[in-house]
Amino acid sequence: MRDAPLSVFRGLNRDARHWQILALSGLFAISVWTTDFGARPEHLIAALTGTLTAQIIGAWAVGCRFEWKSAAITALSLSILLRASEPWMWVAAGLVGVGAKFAIRYKGKHLFNPACLGIVAMILLFGRDVWVSPGQWGQAPLIAGWAMALAALVLSSVKRLDIALGFIATFAAILFGRALWLGDPMAIPMHQLSSGTLLVFTFFMITDPRSTPDSCPGRLLFAAGVAGLTAWLIIGPNVIAAPMMALAALSVFTPFLDRWLPARRFQWGIHQKSKEGRDYETQTSGRLGGAWSRLARP
């Protein structure tokens, strides 16, 4: 019995996505219990329907092993952030986001965070029928949420704290610097930083190890660029879902940063290496999987 907590910790620590799922589940509960316009269980069910369906089809198409964890993370993110007028829109967002993970790749690495792309695609396609929750949870739940998300990232083996801190530090510096320049009260940037949406984006979107630069310098440059574009979209045209729009727009530059500042690519689970010593993304099997692995080879 005394070893039970240690065994549970080791089990969770075998895959960084376990910590992400736990933290996002906690944030989902906060959203459900603390806001009248928060997430709902039916939103999560609809999002899971879309993400798991896309994951099953994608895994079958490329001949790789089915993985439910990434689909669950995407569904939880969608259910916390996305709001829509019809339930099928969460299903569609999940299908688009996870489907693009298999369809849009460069050298075996997908370019876009699935939840981010799903949200951006739905907003661009359906306009006023889709929006992003401001996630105003109140001071105590918000502090608990930040602590929960930070703990999940620190405990996990993803090691993407640099890009999270780089983004939020740059974004905060721009907002506070602008407030000082204009003589605005500090309550304005504080309010802009106090949202559940920004929390989820900072710790569970821009930290995605499979769609962000591989090297630490590359990630810091990328984080600064996303923060700058996010601030401009908020201050200038007041674009809805500004962080997600900025991340989706700048994700196309990830391959250039990986080429300019190369580093070992992160992989979930066991690393597979080619004869040249390069990493494969997944272990594939079968005719379709073999064809995909040849196309996706770095």
Side-chain angles (χ1 to χ4, degrees):
M1 288 295 293
R2 287 181 297 177
D3 295 334
L6 184 59
S7 299
V8 171
F9 178 83
R10 287 173 177 170
L12 290 171
N13 213 40
R14 289 194 185 101
D15 193 321
R17 289 170 291 188
H18 294 157
W19 295 113
Q20 294 180 347
I21 291 170
L22 279 177
L24 282 168
S25 298
L27 296 176
F28 176 81
I30 289 174
S31 183
V32 170
W33 293 333
T34 63
T35 62
D36 293 333
F37 48 84
R40 295 290 178 265
E42 55 267 29
H43 301 167
L44 179 57
I45 293 171
L48 278 170
T49 301
T51 58
L52 290 173
T53 300
Q55 187 74 29
I56 291 169
I57 295 172
W60 171 81
V62 304
C64 69
R65 186 179 63 180
F66 169 75
E67 269 290 354
W68 64 271
K69 297 169 190 173
S70 295
I73 290 168
T74 301
L76 282 163
S77 298
L78 289 173
S79 62
I80 293 169
L81 297 176
L82 186 65
R83 299 293 173 266
S85 58
E86 299 292 338
W88 63 265
M89 291 180 173
W90 278 275
V91 180
L95 286 169
V96 170
V98 176
K101 182 178 71 172
F102 291 96
I104 306 175
R105 294 171 179 251
Y106 179 77
K107 292 187 175 181
K109 180 176 180 177
H110 58 269
L111 298 182
F112 301 99
N113 174 273
C116 175
L117 186 63
I119 290 170
V120 169
M122 297 301 290
I123 290 174
L124 294 177
L125 287 172
F126 298 102
R128 295 181 180 179
D129 291 329
V130 180
W131 63 97
V132 172
S133 168
Q136 301 293 347
W137 296 340
Q139 186 175 7
L142 190 63
I143 292 173
W146 279 95
M148 190 186 307
L150 179 60
L153 192 58
V154 170
L155 288 170
S156 75
S157 60
V158 174
K159 295 180 174 61
R160 289 298 188 270
L161 188 60
D162 52 2
I163 194 170
L165 296 181
F167 167 78
I168 197 64
T170 304
F171 185 57
I174 294 171
L175 295 181
F176 280 106
R178 180 175 182 269
L180 287 171
W181 176 265
L182 296 176
D184 291 338
M186 291 297 104
I188 294 177
M190 287 296 295
H191 176 74
Q192 291 170 319
L193 291 169
S194 301
S195 79
T197 298
L198 187 64
L199 186 161
V200 175
F201 177 83
T202 301
F203 286 101
F204 301 102
M205 279 194 180
I206 200 172
T207 57
D208 179 10
R210 298 298 295 130
S211 60
T212 49
D214 297 323
S215 69
C216 180
R219 290 193 294 273
L220 292 175
L221 286 172
F222 184 75
V226 173
L229 183 55
T230 299
W232 179 81
L233 290 172
I234 292 173
I235 295 168
N238 193 25
V239 172
I240 187 173
M244 278 72 82
M245 291 289 185
L247 178 60
L250 295 183
S251 289
V252 295
F253 293 101
T254 295
F256 297 100
L257 289 171
D258 284 341
R259 187 176 182 86
W260 180 36
L261 299 166
R264 181 170 179 170
R265 182 177 298 179
F266 179 88
Q267 295 191 31
W268 302 113
I270 300 172
H271 288 272
Q272 299 288 327
K273 286 189 175 292
S274 67
K275 293 180 180 179
E276 295 83 7
R278 296 175 178 176
D279 286 335
Y280 287 89
E281 181 185 353
T282 55
Q283 185 176 6
T284 58
S285 60
R287 181 170 58 85
L288 285 173
W292 181 269
S293 65
R294 288 192 294 273
L295 288 172
R297 186 174 298 174

